Amino acid sequence: MKWNYRCPSCGAEYAIEPGRYLCEPCASRNAPGLPLHGVLECAFEGKVEPGSVPLPVEAEFYPALPVGNTPLWRPERLRSELGAPGLWLKDDTCEPSGSYKDRASYLVAAFARKHGIGEVALASTGNAASSMACVGAAAGLKVTVFLPRSAPVAKRIQVLQYGAELREIDGNYDLAFDTCLAYTKETGVLSRNTAYNPLTIEGKKTAAFEIVRDLRTSRGLPVAVDHVFVPTGDGAIIAGVIRGFEDLLLMGEIERMPRIWAAQAEGSSALARALDTGEFEFRASGTLADSIAVDAPRNGIFALAKLKKHGGSAVIVTDEEILEAQVLASSRAGLFAEPSSACALAGFIKARPSLGKGETAVVMLTGSGLKDIKSAARAVGASY
Ligand SMILES: *Cc1c(COP(=O)(O)O)cnc(C)c1O
């Protein structure tokens, strides 16, 4: 199988090698604090072994920890309460570091090992940092993270527990992102910044393969996936999930693309608004769902193009709806997810009247509720 990076905007191709991040001609328009131009896509030629997931790093380089293959829940009580018999929950709260980000960190760590790279750095709102620190610990990598001081304490402590170097930023994620880029440019350390490193998108496609496989085995027959609800901030998870379904379509594993929904918080809805207007407009973010709070979605341009190509949709929910959905998932399904994840369930609840009654909808629950106890306490009216 032959792999390359390809620029979705101009079609230029590049080798997948250390030091290559963006498509340089397209990236010349980039400015701090804006969605990135020139984000590259992983592209391959050749035949995929049935049952395997095509990824640009060979299996022998992955570190020894169990990433992915997370459960797909059939939430009976939630289904009957919501009148949604086709609802499924994809549970990534049980990843090693407690979030979906492990799928990307796993691929980046394998890439580092393949190329003999000893250090990885990244900016994060919390989960990407704790994830890279976790996977890096198992892989024997030095990990340096740039984290806003306001990040939930559990995510910060995870970083320290896993033995990574924590650099706290007096500012938001957007400032952490730019500070980290300056650090990796100066030092030559491998950047795991979301979207900037194309592997962070490609690594996130694996869940699509698992969903299709598990829906098949759970009923013995191929089941079409009609809708997938993805909590969205920077737009890397949603783009990765779409990449996965694109591969599955190409491989003949599915007959058509599902409708992919970007679920966003009212206070951080840049991608949803751009899907509506065609343009990204700057607005400072404000939502308690910290993992999806971004001023400028770094992967916005890439994700928007993918959503448009496949007829994707967006749904915007309030912080109150997010907290209600969080409690609902906990109390009716037994699945305790952080607010950023619960956003996807809130989005499903809001969009449900427009979906077909028997249609299959998978809600991606991307992070553990234990990561942000303060918001969880607020949701149940408990003091903290
Ligand atoms: C990062 C994250 C998201 C959003 O992913 P993007 O790629 O930024 O859109 C959603 N939920 C959780 C728990 C996350 O950590």
Side-chain angles (χ1 to χ4, degrees), residues 99 101 127 194 204 231-238 291-292 338 340-341 366-367:
S99 90
K101 299 286 194 290
N127 280 340
T194 287
K204 286 173 180 156
T232 300
D234 271 326
I237 296 184
I238 197 164
S291 309
I292 51 173
E338 67 163 87
S340 308
S341 299
T366 45

Side-chain angles (χ1 to χ4, degrees), residues 263-270 273 283-287 292 315-322 343 350:
Q264 294 209 285
E266 198 172 39
S268 179
S269 59
R273 285 183 279 121
R283 202 182 284 175
S285 62
T287 166
I292 51 173
V315 54
I316 296 175
V317 296
T318 64
D319 280 3
E320 278 59 45
E321 288 168 324
I322 287 174
C343 177
K350 194 164 246 178

Side-chain angles (χ1 to χ4, degrees), residues 134-315:
C134 168
V135 176
L141 297 167
K142 175 174 175 1
V143 176
T144 305
V145 310
F146 294 78
L147 207 61
R149 228 173 261 287
S150 60
V153 65
K155 300 180 184 183
R156 254 180 30 234
I157 300 304
Q158 276 187 291
V159 167
L160 297 173
Q161 270 283 334
Y162 295 131
E165 184 177 328
L166 174 62
R167 304 217 183 166
E168 290 189 294
I169 300 291
D170 285 310
N172 62 4
Y173 169 58
D174 298 74
L175 182 66
F177 196 97
D178 295 332
T179 310
C180 181
L181 279 193
Y183 173 78
T184 51
K185 273 186 188 149
E186 195 183 294
T187 57
V189 160
L190 179 66
S191 171
R192 186 223 175 273
N193 271 14
T194 287
Y196 183 76
N197 183 333
L199 300 177
T200 59
I201 302 169
E202 194 71 2
K204 286 173 180 156
K205 74 182 184 182
T206 49
F209 288 78
E210 297 165 18
I211 289 167
V212 167
R213 180 198 65 197
D214 292 349
L215 278 179
R216 183 164 294 173
T217 52
S218 66
R219 296 198 200 161
L221 291 166
V223 176
V225 187
D226 297 306
H227 303 275
V228 183
F229 286 80
V230 186
T232 300
D234 271 326
I237 296 184
I238 197 164
V241 168
I242 293 174
R243 280 282 306 114
F245 283 106
E246 284 178 341
D247 283 357
L248 286 156
L249 191 64
L250 206 71
M251 291 159 64
E253 298 283 332
I254 54 173
E255 282 172 8
R256 58 181 166 79
M257 290 291 285
R259 184 158 168 197
I260 309 285
W261 295 75
Q264 294 209 285
E266 198 172 39
S268 179
S269 59
L271 193 61
R273 285 183 279 121
L275 191 59
D276 207 25
T277 64
E279 264 171 55
F280 285 100
E281 158 222 17
F282 181 85
R283 202 182 284 175
S285 62
T287 166
L288 59 77
D290 62 290
S291 309
I292 51 173
V294 301
D295 293 352
R298 299 296 150 171
N299 200 37
I301 295 167
F302 184 115
L304 182 64
K306 285 281 182 209
L307 279 172
K308 280 188 168 161
K309 180 172 176 192
H310 298 294
S313 305
V315 54

